[in-house]
Amino acid sequence: QLDRLAASPGVLAIVEDRQNEVQLDETVPLIGANVLHASGLTGEGTAVAIIDTGTDHEHPMFAGAIAASACFSSYTVDTRSRCPNGQTVEIGPGAGDACEWCEARSDHGTHVAGIAAGRDYTFVDNGGAERTIRGVAPGAMIVAINVFTDVPETGKTTALDSDMLAALEWIFLNPDVDLPGGGTAPIVAANMSIGGGLFDDFCPFGEFEGVFIQPVISALRSSGIATIIASGNDSYNAATNYPGCIQEAVTVGATTRSDEVAGFSNSAIMVDLLAPGNEIMSAIETGTSEMEVGVLSGTSMATPHVAGAFALLAGAHPLATVNDIETA
């Protein structure tokens, strides 16, 4: 029957419809990170800042990985701070933790951090099979920074420019983190899977009021810290979101496992790099799932692949500049 079907007019090919699972351990080899892991290069001696909704400090993927924690979460009459102390700023242990007490819980920052620098995590999937996932740079330390506020009326979260600016300035003033065993590690990348708006060209400082974060992104780049930003998920073919339109940023679009640009990924001259972002399995907040992992898609997932890759290459070549690593 298969032979007759294959010989029928209009049939190009017959292939097995296999069952596939979405896993982080598929995309780590896809970008070649496993080759460095096998050589003992895991990003050790570096740190990656995750500027997002907070990173679940209690998740097994981050055991011993959180080197610093901060929260910049402004509030108004209509919004509420996500900082544990309820204030607009908090620096110290637990400050950048995922907001378990918030009305608008979010796995986003935890998922992103797991992709960038999650430690090995073994779990049993829904089919009963044991699986292990790890981040791109499982030896790098994580700086967890929450820059989102809750909007109770909508049940959503939002990140203000001022809070993003505060986070980036804090990184600039605190470019090294303490290591558990002594010594320090430099922050080599700041991951910002954040964005909005539509821009069809680079948005220079002064073009509109939101780009007041451009100078600090430029300063970070000059000091050896890459600000890595998602291009956005609006399917634009000649535009990106802000702040990915900032030229000094490393702007990232998403690809599929076939190394094709994902249909949702914004593309434009401002996009610098592409990385896997379609159906990525990574950490989610503890207590929300028995497996404590989940699948998300978007340029938000592609961006930490690049942040982790920066940590791997910076760990292998400590004197390399942001330009060197981006070009490589």
Side-chain angles (χ1 to χ4, degrees), residues 42-324:
T42 62
E44 187 173 354
T46 70
V48 176
I50 306 297
I51 303 174
D52 213 290
T53 61
T55 299
D56 186 349
H57 290 25
E58 290 72 45
H59 198 286
M61 281 194 87
F62 310 125
I66 307 295
S69 194
C71 179
F72 303 91
S73 181
S74 297
Y75 59 85
T76 66
V77 174
D78 302 318
T79 62
R80 294 179 184 173
S81 171
R82 291 175 67 87
C83 296
N85 64 4
Q87 303 301 307
T88 59
V89 177
E90 184 174 356
I91 310 294
D97 202 349
C99 192
E100 298 176 2
W101 59 90
C102 292
E103 294 181 24
R105 296 189 63 172
S106 176
D107 291 314
H108 194 272
T110 297
H111 199 274
V112 167
I115 296 170
R119 278 41 179 166
D120 286 10
Y121 177 59
T122 301
F123 63 97
V124 177
D125 65 20
N126 291 326
E130 187 174 271
R131 296 191 170 275
T132 299
I133 59 174
R134 62 162 39 180
V136 175
M141 303 303 291
I142 294 171
V143 179
I145 306 178
N146 188 350
V147 295
F148 279 75
T149 60
D150 280 347
V151 185
E153 185 176 345
T154 63
K156 297 181 179 180
T157 61
T158 186
L160 300 176
D161 281 346
S162 56
D163 289 326
M164 293 191 293
L165 174 63
L168 292 167
E169 288 181 336
W170 183 74
I171 292 170
F172 182 75
L173 295 172
N174 301 274
D176 300 294
V177 298
D178 294 328
L179 294 172
T184 61
I187 299 173
V188 299
N191 190 100
M192 294 181 66
S193 295
I194 304 171
L198 170 61
F199 296 87
D200 59 7
D201 202 349
F202 293 109
C203 40
F205 181 60
E207 176 104 350
F208 75 109
E209 60 183 11
V211 191
F212 61 76
I213 71 170
Q214 181 268 341
V216 70
I217 290 177
S218 179
L220 285 167
R221 188 181 183 104
S222 297
S223 69
I225 302 174
T227 305
I228 304 174
I229 304 177
S231 70
N233 308 318
D234 309 287
S235 302
Y236 298 140
N237 61 12
T240 66
N241 289 169
Y242 160 81
C245 55
I246 295 174
Q247 188 166 9
E248 291 84 355
V250 178
T251 304
V252 182
T255 57
T256 67
R257 285 179 179 74
S258 301
D259 278 336
E260 298 173 342
V261 178
F264 56 78
S265 181
N266 291 343
S267 298
I269 191 174
M270 297 83 81
V271 175
D272 300 294
L273 297 170
L274 296 166
N278 191 45
E279 296 187 322
I280 308 300
M281 180 170 281
S282 181
I284 59 174
E285 284 191 40
T286 52
T288 58
S289 166
E290 185 176 343
M291 293 186 295
E292 297 182 344
V293 293
V295 174
L296 293 174
S297 296
T299 53
S300 284
M301 284 62 251
T303 305
H305 278 84
V306 173
F310 261 78
L312 288 179
L313 295 178
H317 302 278
L319 298 181
T321 66
V322 173
N323 287 343
D324 291 336

Side-chain angles (χ1 to χ4, degrees), residues 4-29:
R4 290 198 297 273
L5 182 61
S8 299
V11 175
L12 180 64
I14 299 174
V15 296
E16 181 184 0
D17 188 12
R18 299 179 299 173
Q19 296 185 36
N20 297 281
E21 287 197 60
V22 286
Q23 292 287 344
L24 186 58
D25 58 353
E26 292 179 6
T27 57
V28 167

